[in-house]
Amino acid sequence: VSAGESGTGGLLADWFTALSGAEGILRFGVSVNTGKLKEESLHVPKKLLRKFGPVSAQTAAAMAAGAMQEGQSELGVGITAGVGEEPKKTGLIYVAVCDRENVWVQKLDLPKKSEPDYIRYMACMAALDLLRRYIMALPGRMEGASSRKAAAAGKLAAVLERESGDGQKKRKNGKKRPWYAKIFPVKGDDGAEIVRKLILLLAVAIF
């Protein structure tokens, strides 16, 4: 997996690298907070940035593709989050996962009063959840795909929507976790738990 992040301060890469043995999973990670860095580090077209803006579904898709290319990996993850630089887009998050043929983009719109740290956390959780859903759909294909060729031209077939809110708050105290929670990510897992489970699922999918 390779990741390109904007607005998160490299939090997703930090979650991966904090885990022992994750070096072989995260091939490439970069945090890019300006249009110029997105162009230089992730090959996001200047024309696309001008047309759709830095916090957009199209930019997230291009960032995922650029990260995958730079890391020469099987999957790419792109995150772009509004954390206050543009007041109108504060709390707006787009995450993307791509493979060699398709890309999936998901939108999450948090309240504008959300704190930057919370926005960063939720952006990374949304990216991990999208990656989880991609893996769970294997060997089939997850719904909502856009071809990478079309996405490169700014044309997306679909943008998935995710309800705002913290999954941990929805978990009832004292409720017994299902048996598969030891293997698969479930609501209420923190970032480290999800990364550990994703590493296991990726290993099974690849080998």
Side-chain angles (χ1 to χ4, degrees), residues 57-123:
Q58 291 77 9
T59 297
M63 289 173 64
M68 186 177 73
Q69 178 182 335
E70 284 296 310
Q72 297 183 356
S73 56
E74 297 299 319
L75 297 174
V77 177
I79 304 175
T80 179
V83 291
E85 295 87 351
E86 295 182 63
K88 290 183 178 180
K89 292 193 174 182
T90 297
L92 181 61
I93 297 165
Y94 289 97
V95 298
V97 168
C98 75
D99 57 22
R100 298 193 180 279
E101 296 182 358
N102 300 292
V103 61
W104 292 260
V105 182
Q106 182 170 277
K107 175 185 176 181
L108 178 61
D109 201 357
L110 301 176
K112 294 187 182 300
K113 64 181 181 180
S114 300
E115 293 294 327
D117 285 346
Y118 179 70
I119 296 171
R120 295 183 186 102
Y121 172 81
M122 290 301 293

Side-chain angles (χ1 to χ4, degrees), residues 41-53:
S41 301
L42 295 173
H43 316 292
V44 179
K46 182 183 295 186
K47 183 178 180 180
L48 186 147
L49 283 168
R50 287 178 175 174
K51 184 175 182 179
F52 298 103

Side-chain angles (χ1 to χ4, degrees), residues 33-198:
N33 292 325
T34 67
K36 185 176 181 180
L37 285 174
K38 289 180 176 70
E39 293 171 39
E40 295 177 350
S41 301
L42 295 173
H43 316 292
V44 179
K46 182 183 295 186
K47 183 178 180 180
L48 186 147
L49 283 168
R50 287 178 175 174
K51 184 175 182 179
F52 298 103
V55 183
S56 64
Q58 291 77 9
T59 297
M63 289 173 64
M68 186 177 73
Q69 178 182 335
E70 284 296 310
Q72 297 183 356
S73 56
E74 297 299 319
L75 297 174
V77 177
I79 304 175
T80 179
V83 291
E85 295 87 351
E86 295 182 63
K88 290 183 178 180
K89 292 193 174 182
T90 297
L92 181 61
I93 297 165
Y94 289 97
V95 298
V97 168
C98 75
D99 57 22
R100 298 193 180 279
E101 296 182 358
N102 300 292
V103 61
W104 292 260
V105 182
Q106 182 170 277
K107 175 185 176 181
L108 178 61
D109 201 357
L110 301 176
K112 294 187 182 300
K113 64 181 181 180
S114 300
E115 293 294 327
D117 285 346
Y118 179 70
I119 296 171
R120 295 183 186 102
Y121 172 81
M122 290 301 293
C124 292
M125 290 293 283
L128 288 176
D129 182 61
L130 188 60
L131 186 58
R132 172 191 67 83
R133 289 158 58 193
Y134 173 89
I135 295 170
M136 294 289 288
L138 294 173
R141 188 176 74 178
M142 186 171 72
E143 294 183 357
S146 300
S147 75
R148 282 188 54 199
K149 184 176 181 180
K155 299 177 181 179
L156 296 172
V159 175
L160 306 172
E161 295 274 353
R162 175 177 170 173
E163 293 182 3
S164 62
D166 191 339
Q168 288 186 328
K169 294 179 181 178
K170 297 178 183 178
R171 185 169 147 190
K172 295 181 180 179
N173 293 329
K175 184 177 180 180
K176 186 176 180 181
R177 288 164 68 82
W179 63 269
Y180 54 80
K182 292 183 178 180
I183 303 172
F184 301 106
V186 296
K187 287 184 177 180
D189 284 349
D190 61 21
E193 286 180 294
I194 292 176
V195 169
R196 290 190 188 95
K197 293 173 182 178
L198 285 173

